[in-house]
């Protein structure tokens, strides 16, 4: 390649990931034993910090929205939007929620229905347990997780467009560390964050392949085996690499618009022909519970100290979201140019959270209703055939189920392609030093090669772990990545508070910052 490649960022996560795959393939039980022990230590020792950090970011969102910082335009007052709001919103929905939402919307609530926290004394399979399950889906898939993505992304967007123009996660730490110190720690911060995301992408791709292979089996009757999984993974990877190489506007934006439209059609069909009244009734009740108990459940205060349910679910989720947040923030921040901070928070939190709430109300509410009515038949399906099979069991209850299942398989494919597309774009950009504008053409070629390399590595990891070792090992690697990412995300949030204070003092000025950036360039 050339001297633009950041080897300290590129090589460590690549080597670690390959080592993890080899270790898990040689002795999966030993590998899982070690990583599980480390993961349990992290959750037992720092569960309070994950909860506090997530809640701190929610509070930060409210303060930012009401502060003078909310009026600031990302990129300065003359910056032109990179994307219109429809495409921007579609990309946000499809790259941050779609993949996980498809997989867990029908599977996760069944776990909560039949194995609720012991300290709440809920009867498994009861209507009370169903209300708890649906409100828990709102907790895990709405405001808090999107805030975990949005706050670091906003800190990066302001630092990148309004301050340093340095494409690095550490650029967002400049307000608290200073320009030179933040740059010096940049390689380590970027490398750690990238490893967490790449491991998470492999896990997500493996999980997505299971959903898709189950769908193909449902439609065609083909056996779901290693060969089918391999074919699905190759199809996804070839598609997202081709889409990513084609460019942001041609690839991600087009796929996201199609995906969002089909998502809406399937959701409206399920709402219209499913148990509509029950969906509305239980959805509204669960929303009331979620909002009224938000603070209590953010810190799991309703559970007894010896009840580990929150560590297995809520804290586990926060760790996973935080593992992805630093690198995802690069992509979300980069496409935000030309919009105000308030518009950024609306598009990255309010819109996807609202979409997710509606999706969970419809599909989580419907699967809970069907499972209770069938005396746990869908929970049995979950245990016997795996989480990926449950959604197809639900779709069979709707009219024109064959068409809906075909559409669902199609959007599931597009969802994983779109999410992988955006993340591959961020990973490849992170591996390159783009400060030398005279090498822009060469950097573009290198970035295309990196997308192919990372796409191939992620595909191999996902196939090996899914077909031969199971996804548990690589999922654990992803969640272990949440621990160092936690401190990165908290630091990025604190940096955003510096912007807030400046805005209240009246010293925040994009014009001054742009002028300062030009002075820094001349000094270099």
């Amino acid at each position: 390649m050339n001297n633009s490649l950041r080897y300290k960022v590129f090589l460590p996560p690549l080597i670690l990931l390959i080592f993890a795959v080899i270790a898990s393939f040689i002795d999966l039980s030993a590998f899982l034993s070690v990583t599980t022990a480390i993961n349990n230590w992290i959750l037992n020792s720092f569960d309070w910090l994950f909860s506090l950090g997530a809640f701190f970011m929610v509070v930060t969102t409210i303060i930012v929205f009401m502060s003078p910082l909310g009026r600031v335009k990302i990129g300065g007052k003359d910056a032109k939007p990179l994307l219109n709001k429809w495409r921007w919103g579609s990309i946000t929905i499809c790259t941050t929620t779609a993949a996980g939402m498809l997989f867990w919307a029908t599977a996760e609530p069944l776990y909560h229905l039949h194995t609720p926290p012991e300290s709440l004394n809920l009867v498994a399979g009861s209507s009370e347990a169903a209300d708890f399950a649906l409100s828990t889906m709102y907790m895990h898939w709405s405001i808090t997780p999107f805030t975990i993505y949005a706050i670091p992304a906003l800190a990066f967007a302001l630092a990148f467009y309004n301050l340093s123009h340095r494409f690095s996660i550490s650029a967002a730490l400049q307000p608290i560390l200073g320009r030179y110190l933040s740059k010096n720690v940049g390689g380590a911060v970027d490398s750690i964050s990238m490893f967490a995301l790449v491991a998470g992408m492999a896990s997500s791709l493996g999980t997505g392949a299971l959903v898709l292979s189950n769908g193909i089996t449902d439609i065609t009757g083909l056996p779901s085996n290693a060969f089918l999984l391999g074919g699905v993974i190759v199809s996804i990877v070839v598609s997202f690499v081709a889409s990513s190489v084609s460019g942001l506007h041609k690839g991600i934006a087009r796929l996201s618009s199609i995906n969002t439209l089909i998502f809406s059609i399937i959701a409206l069909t399920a709402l219209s022909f499913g148990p509509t009244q029950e969906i509305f009734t239980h959805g509204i009740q669960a929303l009331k519970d979620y909002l009224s108990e938000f603070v209590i459940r953010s810190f799991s205060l309703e559970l007894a100290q010896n009840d580990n349910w929150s560590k297995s679910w809520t804290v586990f989720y926060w760790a996973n979201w935080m593992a992805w947040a630093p690198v995802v923030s690069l992509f979300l921040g980069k496409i935000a140019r030309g919009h105000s901070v308030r518009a950024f928070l609306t598009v990255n939190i309010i819109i996807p959270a609202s979409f997710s709430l509606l999706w969970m109300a419809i599909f989580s509410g419907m699967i809970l209703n069907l499972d209770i009515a069938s005396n746990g038949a869908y929970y049995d399906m979950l245990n016997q055939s795996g989480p990926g099979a449950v959604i197809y069991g639900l779709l069979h209850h709707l009219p024109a189920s064959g068409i809906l299942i075909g559409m669902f398989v199609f959007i599931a494919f597009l969802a994983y392609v779109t999410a992988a597309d955006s993340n591959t774009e961020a990973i490849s950009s992170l591996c390159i030093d783009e400060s030398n504008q005279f090498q822009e053409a060469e950097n573009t070629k290198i970035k295309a090669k990196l997308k192919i390399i990372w796409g191939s590595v992620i595909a191999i990891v996902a196939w090996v772990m899914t077909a031969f070792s199971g996804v548990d090992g690589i999922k654990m690697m992803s969640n272990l990545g949440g621990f160092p990412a936690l401190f990165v995300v908290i630091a990025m949030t604190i940096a955003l508070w510096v912007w807030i204070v400046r805005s209240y003092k009246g010293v925040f000025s994009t014009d001054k910052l742009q002028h300062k950036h030009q002075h820094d360039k001349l000094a270099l």
Side-chain angles (χ1 to χ4, degrees):
M1 299 198 178
N2 73 354
N3 56 8
S4 293
L5 186 63
R6 301 173 67 196
Y7 289 98
K8 292 181 180 179
V9 175
F10 172 67
L11 290 178
L14 183 63
I15 294 171
L16 282 172
L17 194 62
I18 293 174
F19 173 78
V21 173
I22 294 173
S24 63
F25 191 69
I26 293 174
D27 192 342
L28 179 63
S29 61
F31 174 74
L32 288 177
S33 177
V34 173
T35 54
T36 300
I38 297 173
N39 189 73
N40 289 338
W41 173 78
I42 291 172
L43 291 179
N44 289 331
S45 302
F46 296 95
D47 59 327
W48 63 274
L49 189 56
F50 281 106
S51 298
L52 180 61
F55 187 77
F56 176 52
M57 283 186 273
V58 173
V59 173
T60 301
T61 300
I62 299 172
I63 300 299
V64 169
F65 197 90
M66 296 188 301
S67 73
L69 184 61
R71 298 191 298 268
V72 171
K73 193 173 186 180
I74 297 171
K77 62 181 181 180
D78 297 324
K80 295 181 180 180
L82 188 63
L83 298 164
N84 61 45
K85 289 188 177 179
W86 164 252
R87 284 193 167 185
W88 189 23
S90 298
I91 289 174
T92 301
I93 290 172
C94 293
T95 58
T96 58
T97 180
M101 186 172 67
L102 290 174
F103 187 78
W104 290 112
T106 53
E108 185 185 336
L110 294 178
Y111 287 113
H112 303 321
L113 175 66
H114 290 276
T115 56
E118 293 182 3
S119 58
L120 294 184
N121 296 318
L122 295 172
V123 177
S126 66
S127 59
E128 292 79 10
D131 289 338
F132 169 80
L134 189 53
S135 63
T136 297
M137 295 302 295
Y138 291 169
M139 187 74 195
H140 292 167
W141 293 95
S142 61
I143 297 297
T144 303
F146 293 111
T147 298
I148 292 174
Y149 277 170
I151 289 300
L154 178 58
F156 168 75
L158 289 171
F160 180 65
Y161 284 117
N162 297 74
L163 186 60
S164 68
H165 285 241
R166 181 163 55 87
F167 195 86
S168 170
I169 295 169
S170 62
L173 307 181
Q174 185 170 328
I176 56 176
L177 297 180
R179 181 168 180 266
Y180 292 102
L181 182 57
S182 66
K183 190 173 183 178
N184 288 335
V185 302
V189 171
D190 292 344
S191 186
I192 291 171
S193 301
M194 196 166 73
F195 170 76
L197 178 62
V198 171
M201 283 183 66
S203 171
S204 179
L205 179 59
T207 304
L210 289 173
V211 175
L212 289 168
S213 63
N214 281 334
I216 294 172
T217 298
D218 189 276
I219 295 172
T220 65
L222 292 172
S224 182
N225 53 30
F227 293 104
L228 182 59
L229 283 172
V232 170
I233 289 173
V234 169
S235 299
I236 293 175
V237 171
V238 169
S239 298
F240 83 67
V241 169
S243 173
S244 188
V245 170
S246 72
L248 180 66
H249 293 83
K250 294 180 181 179
I252 302 171
R254 186 176 299 160
L255 291 177
S256 297
S257 297
I258 296 172
N259 229 10
T260 302
L261 180 61
I262 300 178
F263 264 122
S264 302
I265 292 173
I266 292 179
L268 289 174
T269 302
L271 179 61
S272 301
F273 295 98
T276 307
Q277 183 175 349
E278 287 82 356
I279 288 173
F280 275 110
T281 301
H282 294 151
I284 292 173
Q285 180 59 47
L287 183 61
K288 290 179 181 177
D289 294 342
Y290 164 63
L291 294 175
S292 63
E293 299 174 0
F294 180 79
V295 176
I296 293 175
R297 297 188 67 176
S298 291
F299 295 98
S300 303
L301 298 177
E302 81 280 20
L303 303 181
Q305 286 188 342
N306 60 348
D307 192 334
N308 291 322
W309 181 90
S310 64
K311 295 176 184 177
S312 301
W313 285 104
T314 305
V315 175
F316 186 81
Y317 265 120
W318 296 168
N320 196 44
W321 286 86
M322 287 181 186
W324 287 60
V327 175
V328 173
S329 70
L330 298 177
F331 176 77
L332 296 179
K334 190 174 182 179
I335 65 175
R337 188 188 70 197
H339 297 280
S340 71
V341 168
R342 287 197 183 111
F344 179 92
L345 295 177
T346 300
V347 170
N348 285 277
I349 298 178
I350 297 175
I351 290 177
S354 299
F355 186 88
S356 185
L357 283 171
L358 288 172
W359 185 273
M360 296 304 168
I362 295 170
F363 287 95
S364 298
M366 186 173 173
I367 199 66
L368 290 168
N369 181 274
L370 289 172
D371 188 74
I372 291 174
S374 62
N375 294 318
Y378 288 87
Y379 186 61
D380 292 338
M381 179 189 297
L382 170 68
N383 291 322
Q384 293 171 9
S385 303
V390 178
I391 181 62
Y392 301 107
L394 181 149
L395 292 175
H396 274 298
H397 277 269
L398 299 174
S401 60
I403 296 175
L404 286 178
I405 290 173
M407 292 175 65
F408 183 86
V409 171
F410 179 67
I411 64 166
F413 179 81
L414 284 186
Y416 285 99
V417 168
T418 305
D421 190 344
S422 61
N423 290 322
T424 305
E425 168 69 24
I427 289 171
S428 301
S429 298
L430 200 60
C431 292
I432 298 174
D433 182 1
E434 297 180 318
S435 60
N436 190 341
Q437 297 179 354
F438 297 103
Q439 295 183 344
E440 185 174 349
E442 183 66 21
N443 288 344
T444 301
K445 294 179 182 179
I446 296 173
K447 189 183 294 186
K449 293 178 181 178
L450 285 171
K451 290 173 182 177
I452 295 172
I453 291 172
W454 282 118
S456 301
V457 170
I458 291 167
I460 293 171
V461 172
W463 183 66
V464 169
M465 297 301 294
T466 306
F468 299 105
S469 303
V471 296
D472 290 342
I474 203 67
K475 280 185 176 181
M476 193 67 69
M477 297 302 296
S478 175
N479 286 288
L480 290 175
F483 182 57
L486 167 65
F487 298 96
V488 174
V489 169
I490 290 177
M492 295 173 83
T493 307
I494 294 172
L496 193 58
W497 275 88
V498 175
W499 295 95
I500 296 172
V501 172
R502 289 178 182 174
S503 72
Y504 273 111
K505 289 183 177 180
V507 298
F508 184 97
S509 169
T510 55
D511 294 331
K512 292 179 180 178
L513 290 170
Q514 295 285 6
H515 177 75
K516 181 182 185 299
H517 169 60
Q518 295 296 328
H519 180 269
D520 288 341
K521 286 174 66 178
L522 290 173
L524 291 172

